[in-house]
Amino acid sequence: MVSTSKEFRSGFVSVIGRPNAGKSTLLNHLIGQKVLIMSDKPQTTRNRIQCILTEERGQIVFLDTPGIHKPKHKLGEYMVGKAKESMRDVDVIVYMVDLTAEYGPGEEFIIEMLKQSKSPVVLAFNKVDLVSKDMLMHKIQKYSELVDFKAIVPISAKTGENTDELLNVIFAQLSIGPMYYPEDEVTDQPERFIMAELVREKVLQLTRDEIPHSIAVVIEEVEEKKTLVKVRALIIVERDSQKGIVIGAGGRQLKEISSLARLDIEALLGSKVFLEVWVKVKKDWRNRMDSLRNYGYGKERE
């Protein structure tokens, strides 16, 4: 039981960065369980998702955001809009940078956004385990000249190296405050959303490059039975050829997607799960506002 003492600190922290900077990997590590899906494909996160970390010293509500990139369709515009929105009215911004990636227009765009922000910014250099000390020092010097960061913390989101120090730095920027969420909550998203994301993660992992950003997943039905939970998931793609790739020869690909997703959903629900997965073609859905709303993107429903 966490006691909200006079020293209890709390606040909202936006985690931003380029696609594939490691934001979701970091937050899953800090929270201590899998809340966010991970993939080596860029632009995996599409919505702004709150992840909640509660300790004796306080509570941090992290806002995981889509990677900031140049949008090519309405879904992309929505994703970048969500990332920009998350930078407003937060207590701290954590800017994650992949140390192994080259500095380019994408980072310049984010730097300009940070210069206009009123919130304190902490720079988290990710993948410190993959670069030399000379490279790290060079990057620290370069970025220090661009923005007045409150702190620069080299970390490895994958191994957890120095992530305790990152938390110390974040808590130091927070004021004394209330507990916004019950201490056992780790996300503000409903179970159906997380289940859909877990299915989408498996599609990202198992399909070829032309598939990832053309898919959406919707949980159509959740039925609790005596001995298990029955879940019906629908995978939406944009072309018939993509449907064939997701299903695979003899349905083997879809069976593998379903099998892997079921294990994660069982861990999420703490129950046996029967997962039924279907694939449907909805042409050009990423550019159709009605489809974006139906699949959980675009403006919120009234």
Side-chain angles (χ1 to χ4, degrees), residues 208-225:
R208 296 201 292 269
D209 288 343
E210 67 265 32
I211 293 293
H213 307 310
S214 303
I215 68 158
V217 177
V218 176
I219 301 299
E220 291 196 313
E221 183 182 9
V222 178
E223 185 181 357
E224 294 190 22
K225 303 213 175 248

Side-chain angles (χ1 to χ4, degrees), residues 148-276:
D148 183 19
F149 296 108
K150 286 293 180 182
I152 298 177
V153 187
I155 65 164
S156 170
K158 188 173 183 179
T159 68
E161 181 180 347
N162 223 28
T163 53
D164 286 345
E165 177 58 24
L166 179 61
L167 279 181
N168 291 339
V169 168
I170 295 170
F171 271 115
Q173 297 298 321
L174 300 180
S175 303
I176 305 299
M179 185 183 292
Y180 292 102
Y181 290 90
E183 63 183 274
D184 58 347
E185 282 194 25
V186 294
T187 180
D188 66 330
Q189 296 293 337
E191 285 180 343
R192 281 190 179 219
F193 174 86
I194 299 175
M195 285 189 277
E197 288 287 88
L198 292 173
V199 174
R200 187 164 70 92
E201 177 186 60
K202 305 313 173 192
V203 180
L204 292 176
Q205 289 175 354
L206 295 173
T207 57
R208 296 201 292 269
D209 288 343
E210 67 265 32
I211 293 293
H213 307 310
S214 303
I215 68 158
V217 177
V218 176
I219 301 299
E220 291 196 313
E221 183 182 9
V222 178
E223 185 181 357
E224 294 190 22
K225 303 213 175 248
K226 283 186 178 181
T227 57
L228 54 74
V229 178
K230 184 177 179 181
V231 179
R232 178 185 170 95
L234 178 64
I235 298 172
I236 298 102
V237 295
E238 289 188 316
R239 299 193 298 272
D240 291 327
S241 60
Q242 294 168 342
K243 180 177 180 179
I245 292 169
V246 172
I247 293 174
R252 285 193 291 272
Q253 182 84 286
L254 187 62
K255 185 176 181 181
E256 179 75 357
I257 290 167
S258 177
S259 178
L260 293 173
R262 177 181 56 79
L263 294 175
D264 277 355
I265 293 172
E266 286 183 338
L268 172 71
L269 302 181
S271 172
K272 292 283 287 182
V273 169
F274 174 76
L275 177 62
E276 189 178 15

Side-chain angles (χ1 to χ4, degrees), residues 139-156:
K139 295 262 186 168
I140 288 175
Q141 182 176 354
K142 179 180 179 63
Y143 278 78
S144 297
E145 296 169 356
L146 300 175
V147 175
D148 183 19
F149 296 108
K150 286 293 180 182
I152 298 177
V153 187
I155 65 164
S156 170

Side-chain angles (χ1 to χ4, degrees), residues 8 32 114 126:
F8 193 86
L114 292 174
N126 191 25

